[in-house]
Coordinates of all heavy atoms in Angstrom, one line a residue:
E1173 N 161.2 9.3 138.3 CA 160.4 10.0 137.4 C 159.2 9.1 137.1 O 159.3 8.1 136.4 CB 161.2 10.3 136.1 CG 162.2 11.4 136.4 CD 163.0 11.8 135.1 OE1 162.5 11.5 134.0 OE2 164.0 12.4 135.3
G1174 N 158.1 9.4 137.7 CA 157.0 8.5 137.6 C 157.3 7.2 138.3 O 157.7 7.2 139.5
D1175 N 157.2 6.1 137.7 CA 157.5 4.7 138.3 C 158.9 4.2 137.9 O 159.2 3.1 138.2 CB 156.4 3.7 138.0 CG 156.3 3.4 136.5 OD1 156.9 4.1 135.7 OD2 155.6 2.5 136.1
K1176 N 159.7 5.0 137.2 CA 161.0 4.7 136.8 C 162.1 5.3 137.7 O 162.0 6.5 137.9 CB 161.2 5.0 135.4 CG 162.5 4.4 134.8 CD 162.5 4.2 133.4 CE 163.8 3.6 133.0 NZ 163.8 2.8 131.9
R1177 N 163.1 4.5 138.1 CA 164.1 5.1 138.9 C 165.4 5.2 138.1 O 165.7 4.4 137.2 CB 164.5 4.1 140.1 CG 165.5 4.7 141.0 CD 165.4 4.1 142.4 NE 166.2 4.9 143.3 CZ 166.6 4.5 144.5 NH1 166.2 3.3 144.9 NH2 167.3 5.2 145.3
Y1178 N 166.1 6.3 138.3 CA 167.3 6.7 137.6 C 168.5 6.8 138.5 O 168.3 7.2 139.7 CB 167.2 7.9 136.7 CG 166.2 7.8 135.6 CD1 164.9 8.2 135.8 CD2 166.6 7.3 134.4 CE1 164.0 8.1 134.7 CE2 165.7 7.1 133.3 CZ 164.4 7.6 133.5 OH 163.5 7.4 132.5
F1179 N 169.7 6.7 138.0 CA 170.9 6.8 138.8 C 172.0 7.6 138.1 O 172.0 7.5 136.8 CB 171.5 5.5 139.2 CG 170.7 4.7 140.1 CD1 169.8 3.8 139.6 CD2 170.7 4.8 141.5 CE1 169.0 3.0 140.4 CE2 170.0 4.1 142.3 CZ 169.1 3.1 141.8
N1180 N 172.7 8.4 138.8 CA 174.0 9.1 138.3 C 175.1 8.6 139.2 O 174.9 8.2 140.3 CB 173.9 10.6 138.5 CG 173.0 11.2 137.4 OD1 172.9 10.8 136.3 ND2 172.4 12.3 137.8
V1181 N 176.3 8.8 138.6 CA 177.5 8.5 139.5 C 178.4 9.7 139.4 O 178.5 10.4 138.4 CB 178.3 7.2 139.1 CG1 177.4 6.0 139.2 CG2 178.7 7.2 137.6
F1182 N 179.2 10.0 140.4 CA 180.1 11.1 140.5 C 181.0 10.9 141.7 O 180.9 9.9 142.4 CB 179.2 12.3 140.7 CG 178.4 12.4 142.0 CD1 178.9 13.0 143.1 CD2 177.2 11.8 142.0 CE1 178.1 13.0 144.3 CE2 176.3 11.8 143.1 CZ 176.8 12.4 144.2
A1183 N 182.0 11.8 141.9 CA 182.9 11.8 143.0 C 182.5 12.8 144.0 O 182.3 13.9 143.7 CB 184.3 12.0 142.5
C1184 N 182.6 12.4 145.3 CA 182.7 13.4 146.4 C 184.1 13.5 146.7 O 184.9 12.5 146.8 CB 181.9 12.8 147.6 SG 180.2 12.7 147.4
Y1185 N 184.6 14.7 147.1 CA 186.0 14.9 147.3 C 186.2 15.9 148.4 O 185.4 16.8 148.7 CB 186.8 15.3 146.1 CG 186.3 16.7 145.5 CD1 186.9 17.9 145.9 CD2 185.2 16.7 144.6 CE1 186.5 19.1 145.3 CE2 184.8 18.0 144.0 CZ 185.5 19.1 144.4 OH 185.0 20.3 143.9
S1186 N 187.4 15.7 149.1 CA 187.8 16.7 150.1 C 189.3 17.0 149.9 O 190.1 16.1 149.6 CB 187.7 15.9 151.5 OG 188.2 16.8 152.5
D1187 N 189.6 18.3 150.0 CA 191.0 18.7 149.9 C 191.6 19.1 151.2 O 192.7 19.6 151.4 CB 191.1 19.9 148.9 CG 190.8 19.5 147.5 OD1 191.3 18.4 147.1 OD2 190.2 20.3 146.8
D1188 N 190.8 18.8 152.4 CA 191.3 19.1 153.7 C 191.2 18.0 154.6 O 190.7 18.1 155.8 CB 190.7 20.4 154.2 CG 189.1 20.3 154.2 OD1 188.6 19.2 154.0 OD2 188.5 21.3 154.4
N1189 N 191.5 16.8 154.2 CA 191.4 15.6 155.0 C 190.0 15.3 155.6 O 189.9 14.8 156.7 CB 192.5 15.5 156.1 CG 193.8 15.2 155.6 OD1 194.0 14.5 154.6 ND2 194.8 15.7 156.3
G1190 N 189.0 15.6 154.9 CA 187.7 15.3 155.3 C 187.0 16.3 156.1 O 185.8 16.1 156.6
E1191 N 187.6 17.4 156.3 CA 186.9 18.5 157.1 C 185.7 19.0 156.3 O 184.7 19.3 156.9 CB 187.9 19.7 157.4 CG 189.0 19.3 158.4 CD 188.4 19.1 159.8 OE1 187.5 19.8 160.3 OE2 188.8 18.2 160.5
T1192 N 185.9 19.3 155.0 CA 184.8 19.8 154.2 C 184.8 18.9 152.9 O 185.8 18.3 152.6 CB 184.9 21.2 153.8 OG1 186.1 21.4 153.0 CG2 185.0 22.1 155.0
W1193 N 183.6 18.8 152.3 CA 183.4 17.9 151.2 C 182.6 18.7 150.0 O 181.9 19.6 150.4 CB 182.6 16.7 151.5 CG 183.3 15.7 152.4 CD1 183.4 15.8 153.8 CD2 184.2 14.7 152.0 NE1 184.3 14.8 154.3 CE2 184.8 14.1 153.1 CE3 184.5 14.2 150.8 CZ2 185.6 13.0 153.1 CZ3 185.4 13.1 150.7 CH2 185.9 12.6 151.8
A1194 N 182.9 18.3 148.8 CA 182.2 18.9 147.7 C 181.9 17.7 146.7 O 182.4 16.6 146.9 CB 183.0 19.9 147.0
Y1195 N 181.2 18.0 145.7 CA 181.0 16.9 144.7 C 181.3 17.4 143.3 O 181.1 18.6 143.0 CB 179.5 16.3 144.7 CG 178.4 17.3 144.7 CD1 178.1 18.0 143.5 CD2 177.7 17.7 145.9 CE1 177.0 18.9 143.5 CE2 176.7 18.6 145.8 CZ 176.3 19.2 144.6 OH 175.3 20.1 144.6
G1196 N 181.7 16.5 142.4 CA 182.1 16.8 141.1 C 180.9 16.6 140.2 O 179.7 16.3 140.7
D1197 N 181.1 16.8 138.9 CA 180.0 16.6 137.9 C 179.6 15.1 137.8 O 180.5 14.3 138.1 CB 180.5 17.1 136.6 CG 180.7 18.6 136.5 OD1 180.0 19.3 137.3 OD2 181.4 19.1 135.7
V1198 N 178.5 14.9 137.4 CA 178.0 13.5 137.1 C 178.7 12.9 135.9 O 179.0 13.7 135.0 CB 176.5 13.3 137.1 CG1 175.8 13.8 138.4 CG2 176.0 14.1 135.9
A1199 N 178.9 11.7 135.9 CA 179.4 11.0 134.7 C 178.4 11.1 133.6 O 177.2 11.0 133.9 CB 179.8 9.6 135.0
P1200 N 178.8 11.1 132.4 CA 177.9 11.2 131.3 C 177.0 10.0 131.3 O 177.4 8.9 131.6 CB 178.8 11.3 130.0 CG 180.1 11.7 130.5 CD 180.2 11.2 131.9
M1201 N 175.7 10.2 130.8 CA 174.8 9.1 130.7 C 173.8 9.4 129.6 O 173.7 10.6 129.2 CB 174.0 8.9 132.0 CG 173.0 10.0 132.3 SD 172.1 9.6 133.8 CE 170.4 9.5 133.1
V1202 N 173.2 8.5 129.0 CA 172.1 8.6 128.1 C 170.9 8.1 128.7 O 170.7 6.8 128.9 CB 172.4 7.9 126.7 CG1 171.3 8.0 125.8 CG2 173.7 8.4 126.1
K1203 N 170.0 8.9 129.1 CA 168.7 8.5 129.8 C 168.0 7.4 129.1 O 167.9 7.5 127.9 CB 167.9 9.8 130.0 CG 166.9 9.6 131.1 CD 166.3 10.9 131.3 CE 165.4 11.0 132.6 NZ 164.8 12.3 132.7
D1204 N 167.6 6.4 129.8 CA 167.0 5.2 129.4 C 167.8 4.3 128.6 O 167.3 3.3 128.0 CB 165.7 5.6 128.5 CG 164.6 6.3 129.4 OD1 164.4 5.9 130.5 OD2 164.0 7.3 128.9
E1205 N 169.1 4.6 128.4 CA 170.0 3.8 127.7 C 171.2 3.4 128.5 O 171.6 2.2 128.7 CB 170.4 4.4 126.4 CG 169.3 4.5 125.4 CD 169.8 5.1 124.1 OE1 171.0 4.9 123.7 OE2 169.0 5.8 123.5
I1206 N 172.0 4.4 129.0 CA 173.2 4.2 129.8 C 173.1 5.0 131.1 O 172.9 6.2 131.1 CB 174.4 4.7 129.0 CG1 174.5 4.0 127.6 CG2 175.7 4.5 129.9 CD1 175.6 4.6 126.8
V1207 N 173.1 4.2 132.1 CA 172.9 4.9 133.5 C 174.0 4.2 134.4 O 174.4 3.1 134.2 CB 171.6 4.8 134.2 CG1 170.5 5.5 133.3 CG2 171.2 3.3 134.3
G1208 N 174.5 5.0 135.3 CA 175.4 4.4 136.3 C 174.8 4.1 137.6 O 173.8 4.6 137.9
D1209 N 175.4 3.3 138.4 CA 175.0 2.9 139.7 C 176.2 2.6 140.5 O 176.7 3.5 141.2 CB 173.9 1.7 139.6 CG 173.3 1.6 141.0 OD1 173.6 2.2 141.9 OD2 172.5 0.6 141.1
E1210 N 176.6 1.4 140.6 CA 177.8 1.1 141.5 C 179.1 1.5 140.7 O 179.3 1.3 139.6 CB 177.8 -0.4 141.7 CG 176.5 -0.8 142.5 CD 176.4 -2.2 142.9 OE1 177.3 -3.0 142.5 OE2 175.5 -2.6 143.7
V1211 N 179.9 2.2 141.5 CA 181.1 2.8 140.9 C 182.3 2.7 141.8 O 182.2 2.5 143.0 CB 180.8 4.3 140.6 CG1 180.5 5.0 141.9 CG2 181.9 5.0 139.8
Q1212 N 183.5 2.7 141.2 CA 184.8 2.7 141.9 C 185.7 3.7 141.3 O 185.7 3.9 140.1 CB 185.4 1.3 141.8 CG 186.8 1.1 142.5 CD 186.8 1.5 144.0 OE1 186.0 1.1 144.7 NE2 187.7 2.4 144.4

């Protein structure tokens, strides 16, 4: 957004051993205060 970079974190998941994939909702964040990046 302009010259500022933002990140979200979420899970990608498969229920068929990787044949198809989907993504879940992003983890909650407070823009400009709490952002996610590296996740486990």
Side-chain angles (χ1 to χ4, degrees):
E1173 291 183 16
D1175 62 350
K1176 186 153 182 154
R1177 189 161 189 193
Y1178 292 95
F1179 294 93
N1180 284 326
V1181 296
F1182 59 97
C1184 290
Y1185 63 92
S1186 174
D1187 289 323
D1188 57 11
N1189 281 333
E1191 290 291 320
T1192 61
W1193 290 88
Y1195 51 77
D1197 292 336
V1198 297
M1201 69 175 247
V1202 177
K1203 201 169 189 181
D1204 294 321
E1205 293 180 32
I1206 302 170
V1207 297
D1209 187 359
E1210 297 183 352
V1211 63
Q1212 175 58 49

